[in-house]
Amino acid sequence: MTDFFSTYRIRPAVLSDGDAIAALDQSANPNPWAESHVYDALTTRQNWVVETLLDRQIVGWLTASNVVDQAELELIVTHTNHRRKGLAKRLMSTWLAWCAEQLIAESLLEVRASNESAIALYLGCGFVKVGQRKNYYSVIGGGQEDACLMTRHFSD
């Protein structure tokens, strides 16, 4: 197994990453954001990217909002060719460490109820299921899907 730090690095995203992030989201997210939403996130939220050291390709992105002492994961996406290598877990760890540094009391997220791998990731990062939203997400081809609501509280 390749050492993460010899292949990738995580850094704060900057506005000039916008086109690469939008392209990543379009290619790897079944429900991609509009490019304008990506740029809005880069100017109004906390953002980190994973990039390859060899060619500086952005292969992961996490964006999260925060209000006072509460933070919410808005989106996390990894390139399909770079999945199952721990990128999402490292992005989550980076965000959660930032939350702790900022004295965030609670982190929130919602995830498609069918996204078992993401739910497992979030549970492994200390989140617990606290509810669901019925028919929250649209399904490609028609229909609706529930959202699973999760939270993580930080200790004082």
Side-chain angles (χ1 to χ4, degrees), residues 6-155:
S6 66
T7 307
Y8 304 100
R9 77 172 180 147
I10 293 179
R11 63 169 175 80
V14 294
L15 195 57
S16 61
D17 294 326
D19 288 348
I21 290 170
L24 167 67
D25 191 44
Q26 286 291 320
S27 70
N29 185 352
N31 298 285
W33 287 14
E35 188 174 297
S36 62
H37 290 139
V38 170
Y39 278 95
D40 179 62
L42 288 170
T43 59
T44 62
R45 298 180 181 102
Q46 302 303 312
N47 296 271
W48 293 269
V49 293
V50 177
E51 70 180 4
T52 59
L53 290 176
L54 181 62
D55 60 4
R56 302 287 191 243
Q57 178 186 10
I58 292 177
V59 296
W61 176 46
L62 182 148
T63 185
S65 60
N66 70 292
V67 176
V68 188
D69 67 347
Q70 194 174 58
E72 182 173 359
L73 177 67
E74 301 287 340
L75 181 67
I76 184 170
V77 62
T78 57
H79 191 285
T80 53
N81 293 341
H82 294 266
R83 290 189 178 157
R84 309 309 253 173
K85 297 180 181 183
L87 305 186
K89 184 174 185 176
R90 294 215 185 237
L91 279 168
M92 289 292 294
S93 294
T94 300
W95 172 53
L96 294 171
W98 178 87
C99 288
E101 290 170 4
Q102 300 301 312
L103 304 178
I104 299 293
E106 179 183 32
S107 293
L108 311 165
L109 62 86
E110 61 195 34
V111 58
R112 288 178 182 271
S114 65
N115 194 342
E116 295 174 5
S117 61
I119 291 170
L121 169 68
Y122 302 143
L123 290 171
C125 290
F127 284 81
V128 295
K129 295 179 184 179
V130 294
Q132 74 181 49
R133 289 189 177 127
K134 288 281 190 193
N135 301 318
Y136 185 73
Y137 291 108
S138 296
V139 176
I140 297 172
Q144 300 293 123
E145 179 177 2
D146 292 352
C148 177
L149 306 176
M150 302 182 81
T151 189
R152 178 183 172 184
H153 293 273
F154 291 86
S155 314

